[in-house]
Amino acid sequence: MANRSVRDSGHLRRFSLAHAVIAVVVATSATALLTFNFVRDRTAHVATAQAWDIQGPACPSLSQAQFTAQGYKARHSFDYDGVTIGRHSGDASCSDVRQAGGKGLFNDKVCQFTSPATLTVTSKAGMFFFVPGVGQPATLAIHRDIPRCVMASKFTLKSE
């Protein structure tokens, strides 16, 4: 009986060592694959963030009462991941852009407009009203449901 338990113990040790080696190889391969995908995706996210980083003067913003009193309207609206964006005219192009210049873990919503005249944003953070003006391109960047509007855009119907 004593010899049999020694033999079983040796068999289990060889079996466990083989499994340990296989586990290390699999874990190393999985880590390498995940690292490769992370680096590749991060490079793409940084490029997207740079392409959608639009700088310009801030759009004039109004309260809801001022917006309504001046007769402004947002005739066209659309839902973008739970945020309702309205514009009076023009066309829009939107993209999810990783925060922190493409290096973050979460996305911001960015929309570029050809000539919106007016913009409205309704999110969990409230209602926001901007008046870039007729013929003026604009870009909305929505971070944590709070929009920032600038009077500039790279989007044109030709670039779409």
Side-chain angles (χ1 to χ4, degrees), residues 74-79 84-87 120:
R75 297 186 314 179
H76 309 282
S77 66
F78 60 96
D79 180 80
T84 302
I85 299 172
R87 67 187 187 282
T120 62

Side-chain angles (χ1 to χ4, degrees), residues 4-20:
R4 187 170 187 209
S5 68
V6 170
R7 248 185 288 204
D8 287 343
S9 174
H11 177 69
L12 287 175
R13 264 186 265 152
R14 282 190 305 267
F15 185 71
S16 296
L17 181 60
H19 278 96

Side-chain angles (χ1 to χ4, degrees), residues 11-12 24 27 37 43 46 65 74 79 85 93-94 131 134 137 159-160:
H11 177 69
L12 287 175
V24 167
N37 284 332
T43 302
V46 168
D79 180 80
I85 299 172
S93 178
C94 299
V131 185
V134 175
S159 66
E160 189 61 11

